[in-house]
Amino acid sequence: MTSLMVDLKDIPTIQSVEITDDTLSVDLVDGRTIAVPIAWYPRLLQGSAKERQDWRLIGHGAGIHWNQLDEDISVKNLILGQPSGESQPSFQRWLSQHQAAD
């Protein structure tokens, strides 16, 4: 039996980001592309197309930040296939505030 070992010290940085109504795709500087469903990130799923496009790289390309959605996603979590760990009560508070602002 083999096991996957990930050396978290050598995580590549983000080169580019593309987000659609269904998918977050990230091109890494090592040539890999990682695509995940935005349903993994409820704040992205609930955000408008305009809000989803308002992102910036953080940590010299170690992650992505959406200011209007108050969402941060790291390359590490994308590589490890980890969806949002936000609790349901926290998300519901955010959603109530987000909808009230619209």
Side-chain angles (χ1 to χ4, degrees):
M1 181 171 154
T2 62
S3 61
L4 174 65
M5 296 297 293
V6 177
D7 188 354
L8 298 178
K9 295 179 291 188
D10 298 322
I11 295 177
T13 56
I14 297 170
Q15 183 173 354
S16 65
V17 175
E18 182 179 341
I19 188 162
T20 68
D21 288 340
D22 302 311
T23 307
L24 169 64
S25 298
V26 176
D27 292 331
L28 305 178
V29 296
D30 68 359
R32 285 183 282 177
T33 299
I34 299 173
V36 300
I38 67 166
W40 281 13
Y41 304 99
R43 292 183 184 207
L44 292 181
L45 187 62
Q46 292 298 318
S48 68
K50 183 178 178 182
E51 290 170 324
R52 286 187 213 128
Q53 295 304 321
D54 183 23
W55 58 268
R56 65 181 173 90
L57 295 179
I58 55 174
H60 303 287
I64 313 161
H65 174 73
W66 286 266
N67 190 53
Q68 295 180 58
L69 300 172
D70 194 22
E71 179 72 86
D72 296 302
I73 300 174
S74 71
V75 173
K76 175 184 166 188
N77 284 359
L78 292 170
I79 289 173
L80 295 176
Q82 295 179 333
S84 174
E86 183 173 21
S87 71
Q88 195 62 7
S90 173
F91 173 68
Q92 290 301 323
R93 279 191 305 275
W94 173 86
L95 186 58
S96 294
Q97 293 171 349
H98 185 72
Q99 290 173 338
D102 286 342

